[in-house]
Amino acid sequence: MTYRKLTKSAKARKLLRRGHSVSETAKMVGMGYGHAWAVYREMQIKEQTASPEPVVCEDDNVVQVLEERGNDYGDYASKAQFIQGVKYLMRTSPSWEAMDADMRESMEMIAHKMGRVVYGNPAHRDNFVDIAGYAKLVADRL
């Protein structure tokens, strides 16, 4: 029988789960502190994103509103993935940090409204009015 050799990251995860500190883990595994810290953060993020118990909402008003929004704006998960992708592209663009807070916020809200248009009812007028409004807020200030 052959045994698989554990990677340094796998060894670090084991030690961290057993309660060792990041610096102890780095020394014991023979890795840099930064690498051990990255493994630790990855473990924390996975714990935070683990599927929690679903919240059951029996409120008919909330259910009705969600159904209406779904009809107008489309599938929430797909739309969210699109919007987050657009926001990522904006945040990593060369001019993002040079923008004022209101510019960045307007750009993000416009991305949100774009997601509603392309994943929901494209003829829902409010989305285009909102896009124009967020652009106008910045344009009026400039």
Side-chain angles (χ1 to χ4, degrees), residues 8 12 15 20-33 36:
K8 288 184 177 184
L15 292 170
H20 292 278
S21 71
V22 174
S23 56
E24 289 174 331
T25 300
K27 289 176 189 171
M28 293 168 74
V29 175
M31 64 173 34
Y33 180 83

Side-chain angles (χ1 to χ4, degrees), residues 86-102:
V86 171
K87 287 181 178 183
Y88 171 79
L89 292 172
M90 289 190 305
R91 286 187 215 114
T92 57
S93 68
S95 298
W96 185 256
E97 291 301 319
M99 290 181 183
D100 296 329
D102 64 329

